[in-house]
Amino acid sequence: MQEDEAGFIALHIVSSETNDDIHQTYEVTNFIQNITNIVKYYFNIEYDSQSLGYYRFITHLKFFATRLFSQSEGDNRPLESDLLDMIKEKYVRPYLCSLKIKKYIEEKYQHSLDNDEILYLCIHIAKITERKD
């Protein structure tokens, strides 16, 4: 079986398991791939797809994409901005990468990210890009 045919079948399986239509499943999958590519090329890294950090990042992106495409809001209780201030001081490059993702989402999906989402992206990006020396 060719890889693209297997991927098409996998999309249908995921779509049926999540009770989403195939179009939304495709959008979410495409969204996750685009965001992971932004991070990959920003940091010039290869992902360890077996790591817990990578799994958490993908899970975060999946739920974020679901909120984005369904236009549902989060719990509407914003975190204190001083937490983001501390994170962006310590993790400068992940924060800047988060801003790049923010710009991409605003341009492609006309959706503005709040500070909470930038904070969560920054934390996940910091975890998957930290050096293992």
Side-chain angles (χ1 to χ4, degrees), residues 10-37:
L11 279 175
H12 280 281
I13 292 170
V14 169
S15 178
S16 69
E17 287 180 347
T18 60
N19 294 324
D20 293 332
D21 65 32
I22 189 68
H23 179 70
Q24 183 168 354
T25 302
Y26 178 75
E27 280 185 322
V28 169
T29 303
N30 192 43
F31 175 83
I32 291 170
Q33 183 177 23
N34 289 337
I35 300 302
T36 56
N37 281 339

Side-chain angles (χ1 to χ4, degrees), residues 3-130:
E3 186 175 330
D4 58 343
E5 190 174 337
F8 185 71
I9 292 169
L11 279 175
H12 280 281
I13 292 170
V14 169
S15 178
S16 69
E17 287 180 347
T18 60
N19 294 324
D20 293 332
D21 65 32
I22 189 68
H23 179 70
Q24 183 168 354
T25 302
Y26 178 75
E27 280 185 322
V28 169
T29 303
N30 192 43
F31 175 83
I32 291 170
Q33 183 177 23
N34 289 337
I35 300 302
T36 56
N37 281 339
I38 289 171
V39 175
K40 177 181 179 177
Y41 294 115
Y42 187 89
F43 286 94
N44 192 28
I45 60 169
E46 290 297 325
Y47 293 115
D48 175 4
S49 61
Q50 302 300 311
S51 72
L52 182 59
Y54 180 78
Y55 176 76
R56 287 179 176 166
F57 182 51
I58 297 301
T59 301
H60 173 77
L61 291 177
K62 182 179 92 172
F63 285 112
F64 175 56
T66 302
R67 287 191 309 275
L68 176 70
F69 295 123
S70 69
Q71 298 300 319
S72 68
E73 297 297 321
D75 61 9
N76 292 327
R77 291 177 290 149
L79 294 172
E80 297 296 321
S81 66
D82 57 338
L83 183 57
L84 178 59
D85 292 338
M86 289 186 300
I87 293 295
K88 71 183 182 184
E89 276 186 39
K90 182 166 176 70
Y91 301 106
V92 175
R93 290 190 69 216
Y95 174 71
L96 294 175
C97 185
S98 298
L99 294 181
K100 187 174 182 112
I101 292 169
K102 175 185 181 203
K103 182 178 179 186
Y104 167 79
I105 291 171
E106 288 172 347
E107 290 173 359
K108 175 131 177 113
Y109 300 103
Q110 292 74 48
H111 180 84
S112 181
L113 297 188
D114 60 20
N115 284 343
D116 291 359
E117 193 61 52
I118 293 169
L119 172 70
Y120 296 131
L121 278 171
C122 186
I123 291 169
H124 285 292
I125 291 168
K127 287 301 244 179
I128 63 171
T129 59
E130 68 185 10

